[in-house]
Amino acid sequence: MMASVSVRFRVVLLFLVSTVGLGLLTGCSGGWGDAKPAVTISKGTSTPAVTVGGSATFSVTPTGTGPFTYQWYVNGVAIPGATASAYTTGATTGSQNGSVYTVVVSDAGGSTTSAPFVLTVNTPPSIAAPPASQTVIVGQATTFTVSPAGTAPFSYQWYLNGTPISGATASSYTTPATTALGTSAYTVQVTNVAGTVTSAAGTLTVNPIAPVLSFGAIGAESYGGAAFPVSATSASSGAVTYSVVSGPATIAGNMVTVTGAGAVVLSASQAANGNYAAATATTTFTVSTEVPTLKFGAIGPETYGGSPFTVSASSASSGAITYSVVSGPATVAGNPVTITGAGPVVLSA
């Protein structure tokens, strides 16, 4: 009978010791193997992505004996006053993108840190570098480029004078070869997850082709020659007019008349036509002096012993003329000739 009572007592004692031991392990955060606190956390609702200027809310739902206390942290630093089960940020800035929020929840049994909340702050697009204005010659192509800022990725749509360009959906746009003179405006609309912005316009100015106007060759010309034509041509069909810039010449239409010896400068001007601009060109040629035909006047029969007689030679020139005896029985002083004997006489002018 006594043995039976002793056995029951020992069994009860062992059960109580076991229960006390479990309670000690559960209620301590250190020692006894560093057991986990009694409180656990279910991650609550959050706003993980916001636009700059917006706010984000994070919350948790703890489980334990309570009551619970809370302390929120951002990037490991405690947030003053953030001691509720939910935390709402103020107006966000782009610099907060990627910030990590956690909360430490405590009750009588200990403390637990939540899984991290990572804040995504999207920055609306802006134009860091708008399309630059361009100037081309008709027939050329050119490329416009935009540099956006904000949260990537971006999408693009280019416009020509306010009308969307089909297929122009990259950060740069290359025009086809231009066909018309004048100006046009290219803009681009940039969109990201936070909004849309339109760039300032880049102006495309299409100028006409500057043709190469060239004179045809002008041959050797001398004073007294006949009037002659000149011509200058280019790829343009614009009308060409001519003028004398300097030198001894006149021009009527394209016919040049030389009025003296020396260097002559001619100019040709071509009017703008279609896709071609106006053009000018000059050419220079030299007019050589004319060799005049100098002729003696007739000399009648002369006899030895006769009186001196005069001779004369003339040409189109007004240059001074001098005379000499080449051969024969005669002398000349100025233009009077004196016979000194019989025979043929050769005079020079």
Side-chain angles (χ1 to χ4, degrees):
M1 187 66 168
M2 288 297 292
S4 176
V5 172
S6 176
V7 170
R8 286 206 309 269
F9 179 78
R10 291 175 65 189
V11 170
V12 172
L13 181 59
L14 288 171
F15 177 79
L16 291 174
V17 171
S18 176
T19 301
V20 172
L22 288 172
L24 289 172
L25 290 170
T26 304
C28 298
S29 60
W32 294 94
D34 287 327
K36 293 182 179 179
V39 63
T40 59
I41 298 174
S42 297
K43 191 171 181 179
T45 59
S46 66
T47 307
V50 295
T51 300
V52 167
S55 61
T57 298
F58 307 98
S59 66
V60 294
T61 303
T63 301
T65 58
F68 302 105
T69 61
Y70 306 86
Q71 178 57 61
W72 287 86
Y73 293 79
V74 56
N75 298 325
V77 178
I79 304 171
T83 56
S85 62
Y87 173 70
T88 300
T89 68
T92 55
T93 64
S95 63
Q96 291 175 274
N97 183 52
S99 296
V100 177
Y101 289 80
T102 56
V103 61
V104 175
V105 182
S106 304
D107 69 358
S111 299
T112 296
T113 301
S114 71
F117 297 89
V118 179
L119 175 63
T120 298
V121 181
N122 292 317
T123 302
S126 60
I127 304 299
S133 294
Q134 311 274 351
T135 298
V136 298
I137 302 300
V138 65
Q140 293 180 328
T142 191
T143 298
F144 289 96
T145 301
V146 67
S147 296
T151 300
F154 302 100
S155 61
Y156 306 87
Q157 177 59 61
W158 288 87
Y159 293 78
L160 170 58
N161 296 328
T163 301
I165 304 170
S166 178
T169 56
S171 60
S172 62
Y173 172 68
T174 300
T175 70
T178 52
T179 58
L181 303 178
T183 60
S184 51
Y186 286 83
T187 56
V188 59
Q189 190 177 79
V190 181
T191 301
N192 71 0
V193 68
T196 298
V197 66
T198 299
S199 73
T203 300
L204 175 61
T205 301
V206 181
N207 288 331
I209 299 169
V212 178
L213 183 63
S214 300
F215 270 94
I218 298 176
E221 299 295 331
S222 60
Y223 174 68
F228 60 93
V230 291
S231 65
T233 58
S234 76
S236 172
S237 58
V240 180
T241 56
Y242 302 90
S243 62
V244 176
V245 177
S246 62
T250 60
I251 192 166
N254 70 329
M255 296 298 295
V256 178
T257 299
V258 171
T259 59
V264 177
V265 180
L266 301 180
S267 173
S269 297
Q270 187 171 42
N273 182 63
N275 287 332
Y276 290 91
T280 60
T282 59
T283 189
T284 301
F285 65 95
T286 300
V287 180
S288 62
T289 56
E290 180 183 6
V291 179
T293 301
L294 183 61
K295 294 182 178 181
F296 271 97
I299 299 175
E302 298 295 334
T303 58
Y304 175 67
S307 299
F309 62 92
T310 60
V311 292
S312 66
S314 62
S315 75
S317 172
S318 59
I321 301 174
T322 59
Y323 301 90
S324 63
V325 176
V326 177
S327 62
T331 61
V332 64
N335 67 338
V337 178
T338 300
I339 300 299
T340 60
V345 175
V346 179
L347 299 180
S348 171

